[in-house]
Amino acid sequence: MQNAHPSHAIGVFDSGVGGLTVVRALMDRLPFENIIYFGDTARVPYGVKSVATIEHFTQQIADFLREQNVKMLIIACNTMAAVAADKVREASPVPVLDVIEAGACEAAKRTKSGGIGVIGTPTTINSNAYARAIHTIEPKYRVYSQACPLFVPLVEEGWIDHPVTRMVAQEYLRPVFVESIDTLVLGCTHYPLLKPMLLDVTGSRMQLVDSALAIADQAAELLAKQGLANPHRGRPDYRCYVTDVPVKFQTIGERFLGRSLGKVELVSL
């Protein structure tokens, strides 16, 4: 691995397609940065796998991206971040950011009452990773977590503002509304696509924290601080690697990215 250079790409990885919401936020926040995305589409979902397996797969992907000479690694998958972020950091010569730490920092910064809600997949919620990260920042904050297992399939189906999705959201958020919280963390990379609908359902009760936007801000700050921001003002290079190309990947990927996906390369680890 060469030393990180400002012209090197940012490496972003996820167990599947969800991390493209992080790539989208990075493209908007850092329009001149080269980005390499890796989605482990052959082995998704990670949520049902053992800790040892998740750690092993995560390290494999991090190693692959480091071989591409990335200057920063971003763990865009909440499951990977909950289980393996520390291991990746220990082995990495370049800075490593993860969505859980970014979301927790942003929520802690924004809450006025100290009451924070977190919605995510059952695996992320059961890991208690957000609560731990928030309590590391401020032990007195109250964290209320709610698993929303139906959101991911609904998003992948394209039912972003479907009456069924709205009804499911109202059902999931009903117990959240009775808690005294003023900030709600979207603890899954699929959820930013539901943000307009969730803002509608939550109304003025609470502010939403989007981990994808939070990590894009963190990345921008870190690159500036370490002198690693890309000085070139030309068209950036975007590359996408996957371990399997399901038929729906292109369609779902472009919905997540909000633009054309470009060339998707198949690799085996």
Side-chain angles (χ1 to χ4, degrees):
M1 168 76 196
Q2 300 166 7
N3 290 331
H5 187 274
S7 65
H8 290 171
I10 297 171
V12 183
F13 62 101
D14 184 72
S15 58
V17 72
L20 287 170
T21 55
V22 170
V23 173
R24 182 180 187 165
L26 287 167
M27 286 173 165
D28 291 343
R29 183 74 175 78
L30 297 162
F32 301 109
E33 293 295 341
N34 302 313
I35 300 171
I36 299 174
Y37 180 74
F38 191 105
D40 195 4
T41 44
R43 301 186 293 199
V44 71
Y46 272 31
V48 294
K49 293 174 171 57
S50 70
V51 166
T53 300
I54 295 166
E55 283 180 349
H56 176 61
F57 288 175
T58 305
Q59 202 59 65
Q60 274 187 325
I61 297 164
D63 290 345
F64 173 85
L65 286 170
R66 280 197 296 270
E67 283 163 16
Q68 314 305 308
N69 284 329
V70 295
K71 62 183 174 184
M72 172 188 281
L73 284 171
I74 294 180
I75 307 174
C77 169
N78 284 268
T79 304
M80 286 171 159
V83 171
D86 290 343
K87 286 266 167 50
V88 173
R89 282 194 179 93
E90 281 167 26
S92 180
V94 297
V96 178
L97 300 179
D98 75 80
V99 278
I100 291 178
E101 189 185 43
C105 288
E106 188 64 21
K109 204 159 63 181
R110 288 222 231 149
T111 184
K112 299 281 191 290
S113 69
I116 298 168
V118 180
I119 55 173
T121 63
T123 310
T124 299
I125 296 304
N126 292 338
S127 75
N128 221 23
Y130 273 98
R132 278 200 310 277
I134 291 164
H135 286 142
T136 301
I137 300 161
E138 177 47 76
K140 290 179 188 161
Y141 285 167
R142 300 177 318 281
V143 182
Y144 179 86
S145 304
Q146 173 70 40
C148 303
L150 292 174
F151 278 168
V152 168
L154 287 166
V155 167
E156 293 199 352
E157 196 57 47
W159 291 16
I160 305 300
D161 195 14
H162 193 281
V164 168
T165 312
R166 186 171 287 265
M167 198 164 68
V168 166
Q170 285 164 339
E171 203 58 43
Y172 282 149
L173 293 173
R174 191 170 288 135
V176 179
F177 290 155
V178 300
E179 301 294 321
S180 53
I181 59 177
D182 64 355
T183 305
L184 183 68
V185 181
L186 307 183
C188 172
T189 47
H190 282 64
Y191 296 2
L193 277 83
L194 296 172
K195 199 154 58 170
M197 185 269 293
L198 289 170
L199 280 167
D200 205 30
V201 170
T202 55
S204 58
R205 287 185 183 94
M206 57 196 72
Q207 55 187 330
L208 301 186
V209 170
D210 180 342
S211 295
L213 296 180
I215 208 162
D217 285 342
Q218 260 195 1
E221 281 171 34
L222 192 60
L223 291 177
K225 199 161 89 178
Q226 298 200 355
L228 284 173
N230 191 1
H232 302 298
R233 290 296 175 259
R235 194 190 190 94
D237 179 39
Y238 299 137
R239 276 182 282 157
C240 182
Y241 293 101
V242 292
T243 46
D244 184 28
V245 187
V247 179
K248 286 173 80 174
F249 182 79
Q250 199 85 18
T251 317
I252 298 170
E254 290 182 356
R255 192 184 302 137
F256 276 53
L257 208 51
R259 65 197 85 187
S260 167
L261 204 54
K263 191 181 175 200
V264 178
E265 291 182 52
L266 191 63
V267 292
S268 65
L269 294 179

